[in-house]
Amino acid sequence: MGKTAIRFRFLDVHCIGEHESWFSDMAAKGLHLTELGRLFAWFERGEPEQIRYRVDMVHGSITEEQRELYADSGWETVCQQGDMCVFRSPEHANAPEIHTDPAEQAYTLKELTRRSTASAVITTLLMAAAIVLMSFAFFWSNGTLLKLVEGDMPTAPILILLYLYQIFRSVSAARSLRRLVGSLREGRELHHRANWKRRVRPQKAAMLVVGLLTPMLIFLPFVQFMMSSNTSLPSDSGDPVFLRLSEIENDPRLERKTSFIMDGVDWGNFAARKWSLYAPLILSTGEHGVVPGREWADGISGEYSPSLSTSFYRLRFPWMGKALAKELASKQQEMNDIYGPMTEMRDTRVFDRLYVRDSSMNEIVACRDGVVVYVRYSGDQDMVTCLLAVRDWLERIH
Amino acid sequence: MPYSGGPMTEAMYYVLLALMNPSHGYKLMQEIADVSRGRLKMGPGTLYGVLTRMQSDGLLCVAEDDGRRKIYRITEEGRQALESEYQRLCSMVRDGEGLEGSESRG
């Protein structure tokens, strides 16, 4: 006998026949079970042998009396994990089966069935409650897609998937066990050569998905945090990803109007960058300008000080664009209802979707090729000028 | 489920029958085979489960325990339950006696 080999234990505790079959197949390859844990099984490498393995449910630790009774009948105790006790006997020994009465064997599964059912009920209730709470926070108000794209509660969809998987697993286990007990009570013997590979394949796939999703719960918020930044807008308009006030105003006298500065950022002229799983680039900008010596067109509002706010979303999945544009327009309409409705402009050749509101401020929501923008301009330029600026903006960033 | 006086399983019946003579685990398996004339070969798991359950139901008890082996014997309650089960089975056989006549006519 030699080195130890460790294998991941993909089988649930209720897969009794599959466990027995798996251990026997491993022994035939020279891997002999020595220890069983919740997640792993330890095997000792040796010569291939034809060994029968049997699993018996033992409530509490196996007694010496039981161990000896089984040994006298040719069954060596291998290990115990929880209530699952494993015994082995070489094929050639022709030891009598441990359980010869299926109805009596059903009784040994009573405690496991009770616990499995209770676990399924509790898991379902807890997970369902968590899903309802998260869904309430996420889906109750308008703007679900916007929340998703902006990375609010980034882990909510992942958690909901994982919770649903847990419910499915615990309910499946309880049902499988009840079916097994029912079958035993009807006198049908347990199938000791159950196909363990058929159980393991979907389990492996599921574990792979869970293994990929679970680290995201930790890394996703961390990455989002690390990739967010707030800076002052550059004084020149060099970076094409920003729409600048000067592109709409087109007045060479336009100057920056500095607002309050905190942590080195001019919060009247700022650029905030974010990242989310669904939008690798999210930008928000605010810009305030002043034209010395010029007054507002109404003649009563004093020195001309136009302003521009933008939101920019470059989507990972372009097909989300139109729906996001619609939600953005809806959100802006709700927020500033007194300015009237955001109107959808159809038959535009330039934009995939376009909404405008022409009031004391010009507001535009536009979508093109997976980029969604919101622009709010306060100044004397008209909506056409704003739309042309937005068109040029979207064209250059593509 | 605790024994409530209803029909016994085959395993329960033969364990009680074999324990008319006190015995321990493995020897009990052989005595069950003897008393059933080789028809019933009870597995150790089935035997142990039945012994544990009937002990908690009071149908049998430990007569001796040397720390390694326990010798079981049937209790008075167990005798009565066994007798009751035997009478039930006899009634069933008597009720089916007409089958033997119809077989020979067939």
Side-chain angles (χ1 to χ4, degrees), chain A residues 96-108:
Chain A
E97 278 296 337
I98 288 178
H99 282 284
T100 49
D101 189 327
E104 290 289 339
Q105 187 174 12
Y107 189 77
T108 67

Side-chain angles (χ1 to χ4, degrees), chain A residues 23-283:
Chain A
F23 298 148
S24 294
D25 286 353
M26 295 295 273
K29 291 187 209 171
L31 291 171
H32 303 279
L33 181 73
T34 56
E35 199 60 50
L36 195 59
R38 287 184 75 89
L39 293 177
F40 298 97
W42 285 261
F43 298 84
E44 193 168 11
R45 291 187 192 277
E47 292 299 313
E49 289 181 56
Q50 300 300 314
I51 307 278
R52 284 193 293 163
Y53 282 87
R54 294 294 180 260
V55 170
D56 202 9
M57 292 299 158
V58 175
H59 195 47
S61 296
I62 184 172
T63 61
E64 205 47 49
E65 179 193 8
Q66 186 174 8
R67 195 188 292 268
E68 280 204 18
L69 178 62
Y70 284 33
D72 288 343
S73 303
W75 291 97
E76 176 196 350
T77 307
V78 177
C79 59
Q80 184 172 6
Q81 186 270 314
D83 286 355
M84 182 182 261
C85 209
V86 184
F87 304 90
R88 52 172 269 161
S89 179
E91 287 272 9
H92 61 78
N94 284 319
E97 278 296 337
I98 288 178
H99 282 284
T100 49
D101 189 327
E104 290 289 339
Q105 187 174 12
Y107 189 77
T108 67
L109 299 175
K110 183 184 165 192
E111 180 60 25
L112 180 65
T113 307
R114 188 194 65 77
R115 282 209 307 265
S116 175
T117 303
S119 170
V121 169
I122 292 169
T123 301
T124 301
L125 287 174
L126 286 176
M127 299 293 147
I131 289 170
V132 165
L133 281 171
M134 273 194 295
S135 301
F136 188 81
F138 205 71
F139 296 108
W140 185 253
S141 58
N142 286 336
T144 304
L145 184 58
L146 187 57
K147 284 181 197 165
L148 200 65
V149 167
E150 287 194 336
D152 295 347
M153 295 178 66
T155 54
I158 297 172
L159 278 173
I160 288 174
L161 274 174
L162 290 174
Y163 289 162
L164 286 171
Y165 173 65
Q166 273 303 113
I167 291 173
F168 172 75
R169 268 197 77 180
S170 62
V171 169
S172 287
R175 285 184 65 192
S176 281
L177 202 46
R178 283 186 169 274
R179 264 201 302 270
L180 173 62
V181 169
S183 173
L184 288 169
R185 282 194 182 136
E186 287 170 7
R188 283 194 285 271
E189 285 185 15
L190 191 137
H191 185 22
H192 302 292
R193 293 296 302 166
N195 187 346
W196 59 270
K197 287 178 185 171
R198 201 180 60 183
R199 287 269 190 184
V200 163
R201 275 187 219 115
Q203 277 283 66
K204 274 186 183 174
M207 296 294 275
L208 184 67
V209 172
V210 168
L212 288 172
L213 288 179
T214 306
M216 287 174 73
L217 293 174
I218 302 164
F219 288 118
L220 210 51
F222 178 73
V223 168
Q224 275 189 202
F225 174 75
M226 292 302 290
M227 293 187 72
S228 65
S229 66
N230 300 309
T231 55
S232 299
L233 261 179
S235 50
D236 61 39
S237 51
D239 195 336
V241 79
F242 300 124
L243 175 66
R244 302 303 300 266
L245 188 54
S246 57
E247 293 176 62
I248 298 174
E249 285 300 323
N250 216 9
D251 188 334
R253 298 173 294 168
L254 179 70
E255 291 175 4
R256 172 174 286 200
K257 182 179 177 185
T258 302
S259 184
F260 75 96
I261 296 177
M262 192 168 74
D263 296 329
V265 177
D266 175 3
W267 287 100
N269 297 277
F270 72 92
R273 280 179 193 261
K274 283 200 308 184
W275 174 94
S276 84
L277 196 58
Y278 301 95
L281 181 60
I282 302 172
L283 291 170

Side-chain angles (χ1 to χ4, degrees), chain A residues 332-346:
Chain A
Q332 294 305 326
Q333 179 159 320
E334 267 182 40
M335 281 170 60
N336 299 306
D337 211 12
I338 53 168
Y339 295 126
M342 292 284 286
T343 309
E344 185 177 1
M345 308 301 287
R346 298 182 188 273

Side-chain angles (χ1 to χ4, degrees), chain A residues 300-312:
Chain A
I300 57 172
S301 299
E303 190 176 48
Y304 185 55
S305 53
S307 65
L308 179 69
S309 296
T310 69
S311 297
F312 170 98

